[in-house]
């Protein structure tokens, strides 16, 4: 690993100033350390300054004025276990508990989770061409092993998928990312936070140089307490999603009055599908409408050599989670 300077502060503005004082690739924030240290050991990233923000006073979890506020340095386990999160925003808790391992969840932070890098093997292999790691070098995945890669939202420059389970749940629940940068504070809708690769896959998020995540906010809504997260993966633990879905809905009888759908494992960012939602909202929840929503979801899919199976798998995941949500609702009504 390349030698680097280390700084630690408990003042957010000082952390921002330190990172902003170096050029973009020369400084990095670190908190739980479960991601950056691996990338530095592998030679994928080599900042000359690492600024430790793990002890910043940004670890609160509270429901206030109709919004769940989670600080950037709150640990994944704390958020997953928080009673308000479990009861009012269960998809967030389920997504976190489906992530990583207990050891990692004890260390890793909410901000770091949203900033984690793709698990594309070529990105982490410095001997392979990769436009994300080294702009202009090419994309080894497009003509290579691409079973885990995107079927939606990719480009001729990158087809990596975003690995965060949490981000999928937050996208479905209309979360906002709160930031602090050299120019002050900003709020960025989660759906706009992770960028599609286009011709610049190395620009992964909407963050500006020196800007850091300070927290996330999730609005309370009638659908949020119904939310669920379903993750399909190659093994039962410590594994990233092949396909995942976060869903929430309200029903009047069998009529869908509101619905939120976001997907993971299929795109370079959490994939909120308004087309699939529109295919169900205001319509009865039945096989035909669920199938229509699935078709709307994958209408623009562009599968690659090894991942065409995701086109069907993600539609099955959608049908499964909607079936579960309807079953839960019926059980609740039956218990009244
Ligand atoms: Fe790099 Fe993206 Fe291609 Fe993977 S898919 S090799 S991350 S450019």
């Amino acid at each position: 690993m390349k030698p680097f300077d280390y700084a630690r502060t408990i003042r957010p503005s000082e952390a921002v100033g330190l990172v902003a004082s170096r050029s973009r690739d020369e400084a990095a924030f670190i908190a739980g350390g479960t991601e950056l240290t691996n990338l530095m050991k592998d030679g994928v990233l080599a900042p000359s300054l690492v600024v430790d923000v793990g002890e910043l006073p940004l670890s609160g979890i509270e429901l206030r004025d109709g919004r769940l506020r989670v600080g950037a340095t709150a640990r994944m386990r704390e958020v997953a276990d928080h009673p308000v999160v479990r009861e009012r925003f269960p998809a967030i808790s389920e997504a976190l508990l489906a992530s990583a391992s207990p050891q990692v969840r004890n260390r890793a932070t909410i901000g770091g989770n949203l900033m984690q890098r793709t698990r594309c093997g070529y990105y982490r292999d410095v001997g392979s061409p990769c436009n994300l790691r080294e702009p202009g070098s090419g994309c080894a995945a497009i003509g290579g092993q691409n079973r885990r890669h995107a079927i939606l939202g990719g480009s001729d420059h990158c087809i990596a998928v975003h690995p965060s389970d949490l981000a999928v749940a937050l996208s479905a629940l209309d979360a906002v990312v709160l930031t602090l940068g050299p120019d002050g504070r900003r709020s960025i809708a989660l759906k706009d936070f992770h960028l599609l690769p286009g011709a610049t896959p190395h620009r992964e998020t909407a963050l500006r140089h020196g800007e850091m995540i300070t927290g996330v906010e999730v609005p309370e809504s009638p659908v949020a307490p119904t939310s669920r997260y379903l993750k399909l993966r190659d093994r039962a633990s410590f594994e990233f999603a092949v396909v995942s879905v976060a869903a929430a809905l309200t029903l009047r009888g069998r009529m869908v009055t509101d619905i939120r759908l976001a997907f993971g494992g299929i795109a370079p960012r959490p994939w909120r599908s308004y087309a699939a939602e529109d295919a169900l909202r205001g319509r009865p929840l039945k096989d035909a409408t669920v199938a229509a929503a699935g078709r709307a979801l994958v209408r623009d899919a562009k599968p690659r050599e090894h991942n065409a199976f995701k086109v069907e798998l993600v539609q099955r995941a959608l049908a499964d989670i909607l079936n579960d949500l309807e079953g839960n609702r019926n059980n609740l009504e039956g218990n009244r």
Side-chain angles (χ1 to χ4, degrees):
M1 188 189 299
K2 196 179 116 183
F4 60 92
D5 297 329
Y6 172 84
R8 183 166 55 179
T9 176
I10 58 167
R11 290 196 291 278
S13 58
E14 186 179 5
V16 166
L18 283 166
V19 169
S21 70
R22 306 248 176 135
S23 61
R24 185 175 269 272
D25 294 333
E26 283 296 311
F29 298 108
I30 193 169
T34 58
E35 168 77 329
L36 182 65
T37 49
N38 288 335
L39 293 170
M40 291 173 69
K41 284 181 197 167
D42 290 344
V44 176
L45 298 177
S48 59
L49 171 65
V50 171
V51 178
D52 190 339
V53 295
E55 300 303 320
L56 294 183
L58 298 171
S59 61
I61 305 166
E62 62 174 349
L63 188 65
R64 183 157 43 99
D65 302 330
R67 304 182 80 79
L68 173 70
R69 291 181 167 84
V70 179
T73 60
R75 309 284 158 169
M76 290 171 68
R77 182 191 57 76
E78 295 166 347
V79 181
D81 291 346
H82 197 282
V84 168
V85 177
R86 289 170 57 171
E87 289 167 20
R88 311 239 191 145
F89 307 89
I92 294 176
S93 179
E94 291 176 9
L96 288 167
L97 291 174
S99 304
S101 66
Q103 293 87 347
V104 171
R105 294 196 293 271
N106 280 337
R107 283 292 310 162
T109 63
I110 295 306
N113 183 284
L114 297 181
M115 291 301 294
Q116 65 182 297
R117 303 300 179 89
T118 180
R119 260 58 197 179
C120 172
Y122 300 110
Y123 170 70
R124 287 163 191 259
D125 171 16
V126 294
S128 295
C130 172
N131 288 322
L132 197 163
R133 174 173 29 78
E134 192 179 339
S137 63
C139 172
I142 287 176
Q145 177 50 250
N146 44 44
R147 176 178 177 272
R148 312 282 306 230
H149 290 70
I151 58 171
L152 287 162
S155 73
D156 291 341
H157 302 270
C158 181
I159 54 170
V161 298
H162 196 269
S164 169
D165 298 296
L166 171 67
V168 177
L170 291 177
S171 177
L173 296 176
D174 292 320
V176 170
V177 181
L178 308 175
T179 72
L180 176 68
D183 300 324
R185 298 184 183 280
R186 288 202 296 158
S187 300
I188 305 168
L190 193 283
K191 67 181 176 55
D192 300 324
F193 183 77
H194 299 98
L195 305 180
L196 292 179
T200 54
H202 56 287
R203 291 192 62 240
E204 296 168 84
T205 72
L207 287 180
R208 298 168 184 154
H209 178 48
E211 193 172 18
M212 60 178 281
I213 297 174
T214 57
V216 295
E217 281 189 354
V218 191
E220 279 199 292
S221 67
V223 294
T226 74
S227 62
R228 299 291 308 272
Y229 185 72
L230 173 65
K231 179 175 181 176
L232 305 181
R233 46 189 162 172
D234 287 335
R235 60 181 184 187
S237 71
F238 212 174
E239 182 59 284
F240 295 91
V242 176
V243 158
S244 70
V245 52
L249 62 73
T250 51
L251 294 164
R252 187 183 307 121
R254 296 208 74 188
M255 191 68 70
V256 177
T257 50
D258 200 2
I259 185 162
R260 313 285 164 79
L261 298 170
F263 299 84
I266 60 169
R269 68 180 181 198
W271 194 258
R272 180 80 181 261
S273 179
Y274 297 104
E277 293 175 9
D278 290 344
L280 285 162
R281 189 177 290 106
R283 295 187 167 87
L285 189 66
K286 59 183 186 179
D287 290 349
T289 51
V290 171
R295 288 194 297 275
L297 164 65
V298 300
R299 185 169 298 132
D300 297 325
K302 188 177 178 189
R304 305 286 168 163
E305 183 179 359
H306 305 117
N307 67 2
F309 72 96
K310 286 189 179 183
V311 175
E312 182 175 350
L313 187 63
V314 73
Q315 294 179 80
R316 289 184 178 219
L318 172 62
D320 276 2
I321 200 167
L322 292 176
N323 197 36
D324 273 3
L325 284 171
E326 188 186 21
N328 284 350
R329 198 277 304 252
N330 291 341
N331 287 340
L332 283 174
E333 290 184 347
N335 291 335
R336 280 182 193 142

